[in-house]
Every structure is written in structure tokens, then in C-alpha cells.
């Protein structure tokens, strides 16, 4: 999903919660049960997404045009320079051609 799609989804959820808060009434029993459940569920989803982003392996493009990517590790456990590797973006297999990306170039790509 594109980055801007998340903004639309979050905005719609916010508008819906705001509408329910002001028009449905804060004193109704049903709303007193639904509102905390929606907020708790949203909190769990955001926490799960943040955890996935922190623990997910990061790969960055090596070229402005092409399919080569540098695998950098995770945010919590970045790979040291000697363990960085270049892969093909679609298959994820290591590049074994005659001109592999140098360690310095891989390190510069991952440090951005």
C-alpha cells in the first residue's frame, strides 16, 4: 500500500471517532463500550506495526535504476560492514556477477 494511503485511513478513523464522540453522545452505554475497544484495538495495531518495522530486515536500492539492493539488517541489529551483501530485489538472491558492489558502497548505502 502506498505511503499516502495510510494517511487517508488514519484520517478516516479519526473523523469517525470524532463524529461518534460529538454526535452520538458521550453518555450512552454502547458508546462507552465501543470507544475504548476501538482505541485499544487501534493501539494494538499501531504497536504491532511499529514492532514489525523495528524488527524487519531493511534493504535499500543500490542504483537509481536497476534491481540491485543492499541488505542492511534490522534497526535493532544492523549488519557490520563485512556482512553486508547485495541482492536482486525481486528474488532476494545474492548477486554473483563480475562487478559486485564494494563493501564501502554497501556501507554508504545503508548509512543513509
Amino acid at each position: 500500500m502506498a505511503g499516502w494511503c495510510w494517511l487517508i485511513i488514519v484520517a478516516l478513523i479519526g473523523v469517525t471517532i470524532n463524529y461518534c464522540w460529538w454526535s452520538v453522545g458521550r453518555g450512552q452505554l454502547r458508546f462507552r463500550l465501543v470507544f475504548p475497544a476501538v482505541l485499544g484495538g487501534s493501539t494494538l495495531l499501531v504497536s504491532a506495526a511499529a514492532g514489525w518495522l523495528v524488527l524487519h530486515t531493511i534493504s535499500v536500492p543500490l542504483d537509481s535504476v536497476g534491481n540491485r539492493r543492499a541488505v542492511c539488517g534490522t534497526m535493532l541489529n544492523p549488519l557490520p560492514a563485512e556482512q553486508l551483501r547485495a541482492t536482486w530485489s525481486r528474488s532476494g538472491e545474492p548477486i554473483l556477477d563480475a562487478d559486485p558492489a564494494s563493501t564501502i558502497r554497501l556501507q554508504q548505502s545503508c548509512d543513509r
Side-chain angles (χ1 to χ4, degrees):
M1 191 179 289
W4 58 269
C5 289
W6 288 108
L7 293 174
I8 292 173
I9 292 170
V10 169
L12 287 175
I13 290 171
V15 167
T16 303
I17 289 173
N18 197 17
Y19 172 78
C20 290
W21 179 257
W22 291 108
S23 66
V24 174
R26 290 170 272 186
Q28 294 183 2
L29 176 63
R30 179 175 32 148
F31 188 69
R32 275 193 250 164
L33 297 175
V34 171
F35 188 71
V38 168
L39 288 181
S42 299
T43 302
L44 287 175
L45 287 173
V46 167
S47 298
W52 181 81
L53 288 172
V54 167
L55 299 174
H56 182 68
T57 301
I58 299 168
S59 67
V60 295
L62 284 174
D63 308 315
S64 59
V65 177
N67 293 325
R68 298 184 327 159
R69 298 185 71 81
V71 178
C72 301
T74 65
M75 290 180 77
L76 293 178
N77 188 20
L79 293 173
E82 59 273 356
Q83 289 183 0
L84 296 174
R85 65 186 191 277
T87 62
W88 295 109
S89 64
R90 296 199 178 162
S91 66
E93 296 180 16
I95 296 175
L96 301 173
D97 58 4
D99 182 29
S102 69
T103 304
I104 295 170
R105 183 163 179 216
L106 290 173
Q107 190 172 13
Q108 288 173 346
S109 297
C110 287
D111 287 343
R112 282 192 235 160

